[in-house]
Amino acid sequence: MHKRFGYFGKNSQGTLKRSDTIKTTISGGLYQAPADDTVMTIYMNQRTLAKPFSCSGTGVHSGVRVNLTVHPAPANHGIRFQRSDLPDSPTIRALFRNVVDTSLATVIGQEGAIVSTIEHLMATFAGLAIDNALVTIDGYEMPIMDGSARVFAQGIMEAGIVALDKPRSFLAITKKVELCEGDKRVTAVPCDHFSITCGIAFNHPMINEQSVTLDSRDNTFLTDISPARTFGFYRDIKMLKLYGLGRGAELDTGIALTDDGIMNEGGLRFPDEFARHKLLDCLGDFSLLGMPILAHITTNKSGHAFNHAFLETLFEHKDSWETRTVEADAL
């Protein structure tokens, strides 16, 4: 699945391209490869959207319908969420130090304002190399859409992506960092690009043990990761609803598992869709570092809380990483 290339050349836009080229085909018209069939792999300059895009949907826990718009933003703005329904429309920076809850989803907050369940949109920003955006939302919980990041990815690709006149900064792992707790584990080791491997294990005949890898050089986020849906056991969803949670959880907002199968009539999008979605969640959580990562990250049985704990551990080990502004001629 993952090809390896030993040489990269520069194109006229200041990004890097593969000297060997592959064609990328995305079902549903999400993305069309450039005319010369070159796949962009490492972006040297910061990026944002060419124009805004909007969507609406229901929060998976609140059951409340919300509207959001993702706006372009200038260089060094980062990713910020703005609560348009609150007085003075407060904004919250999407950074791990602003995470206030990880029990059921990743929630960020500042000065009393929160935005919940941001991980799917954050994964989309990371997967499509979007460094700067302003997300305005008229409620406290992000819409779950179909349980995946596909709608967000489609919206960004249709809006278009533009490069900004500022270089990207990368957080480069220089020495192994690992957090373990029982059979939960997150490990980051030095690497000259970003890749992530996620492993899961569930006592269910459709899951069992699964592992999947996303390598940034292969440019497969759109095809292989963004369509993967969230999942949960139907018995757990019923229990959540009794406690006033999971109000927006339906068969069209994720995968509902029974004891020996799934309830969704359309079946799975991938045989290992469960692991792919866990990777999507991890990608969103780790993007809260606030800059792209140069490392290979491996996770096993991790979730939002453990991912956040790893980021805190990483920043405690300041001798294990450095920030770099990568010059095109250096690669």
Side-chain angles (χ1 to χ4, degrees):
M1 174 179 168
H2 297 300
K3 297 181 176 66
R4 297 290 182 267
F5 298 87
Y7 170 76
F8 293 86
K10 291 184 290 182
N11 68 15
S12 60
Q13 294 180 332
T15 63
L16 298 186
K17 66 179 183 180
R18 289 174 177 159
S19 56
D20 296 314
T21 60
I22 62 174
K23 294 183 178 181
T24 303
T25 303
I26 307 300
S27 60
L30 297 187
Y31 176 70
Q32 296 296 324
D36 63 355
D37 292 332
T38 297
V39 177
M40 307 304 175
T41 56
I42 300 177
Y43 298 96
M44 313 313 299
N45 282 6
Q46 296 179 38
R47 310 206 312 161
T48 190
L49 285 70
K51 62 182 181 181
F53 87 87
S54 300
C55 61
S56 301
T58 301
V60 67
H61 296 298
S62 66
V64 174
R65 189 166 184 82
V66 293
N67 305 292
L68 73 84
T69 300
V70 181
H71 303 266
N76 299 324
H77 176 278
I79 307 297
R80 304 183 189 213
F81 289 78
Q82 183 175 48
R83 287 285 302 274
S84 62
D85 60 314
L86 296 179
D88 300 323
S89 299
T91 61
I92 309 166
R93 295 198 67 182
L95 296 173
F96 80 96
R97 65 172 177 264
N98 291 329
V99 170
V100 295
D101 187 26
T102 54
S103 55
L104 294 173
T106 296
V107 184
I108 56 172
Q110 278 184 287
E111 298 180 358
I114 67 166
V115 179
S116 177
T117 323
I118 66 169
E119 55 269 17
H120 298 172
L121 181 57
M122 291 301 299
T124 306
F125 289 142
L128 299 181
I130 300 296
D131 306 284
N132 304 288
L134 176 66
V135 183
T136 59
I137 183 170
D138 62 359
Y140 74 86
E141 186 179 20
M142 289 284 295
I144 192 62
M145 310 312 289
D146 69 349
S148 78
R150 186 164 64 178
V151 170
F152 301 139
Q154 182 176 7
I156 290 174
M157 296 309 299
E158 290 179 351
I161 301 172
V162 296
L164 300 170
D165 190 25
K166 291 290 183 181
R168 302 181 89 197
S169 292
F170 296 80
L171 188 144
I173 299 295
T174 58
K175 186 168 64 176
K176 177 181 176 180
V177 181
E178 185 171 56
L179 180 65
C180 299
E181 182 181 294
D183 55 0
K184 296 179 182 179
R185 186 182 74 255
V186 179
T187 307
V189 297
C191 189
D192 63 1
H193 62 282
F194 174 75
S195 62
I196 181 171
T197 299
C198 288
I200 61 171
F202 286 86
N203 185 21
H204 189 277
M206 296 190 72
I207 307 178
N208 298 311
E209 293 187 3
Q210 297 182 0
S211 179
V212 64
T213 296
L214 174 69
D215 190 310
S216 62
R217 298 173 300 176
D218 293 334
N219 203 40
T220 54
F221 172 80
L222 284 165
T223 51
D224 294 354
I225 304 301
S226 74
R229 295 165 293 175
T230 190
F231 59 94
F233 287 89
Y234 180 64
R235 61 177 180 270
D236 295 336
I237 296 171
K238 289 198 300 181
M239 184 62 66
L240 284 172
K241 289 180 181 289
L242 289 176
Y243 286 93
L245 300 169
R247 293 176 177 177
E250 305 293 344
L251 290 180
D252 59 354
T253 61
I255 303 169
L257 291 157
T258 62
D259 289 340
D260 56 4
I262 65 172
M263 299 177 67
N264 306 69
E265 292 184 1
L268 296 176
R269 294 175 178 173
F270 311 95
D272 57 354
E273 185 169 0
F274 308 97
R276 294 179 191 228
H277 185 79
K278 282 296 185 181
L279 191 149
L280 178 75
D281 281 346
C282 288
L283 190 63
D285 288 342
F286 295 143
S287 74
L288 293 173
L289 281 171
M291 65 182 71
I293 309 169
L294 296 178
H296 177 67
I297 296 177
T298 304
T299 77
N300 185 62
K301 298 184 180 180
S302 189
H304 297 306
F306 203 71
N307 291 340
H308 179 66
F310 173 76
L311 295 185
E312 292 183 322
T313 299
L314 175 62
F315 266 75
E316 290 173 359
H317 291 75
K318 297 186 183 298
D319 61 336
S320 298
W321 54 269
E322 63 185 23
T323 58
R324 298 176 185 168
T325 299
V326 180
E327 298 295 337
D329 290 340
L331 294 177

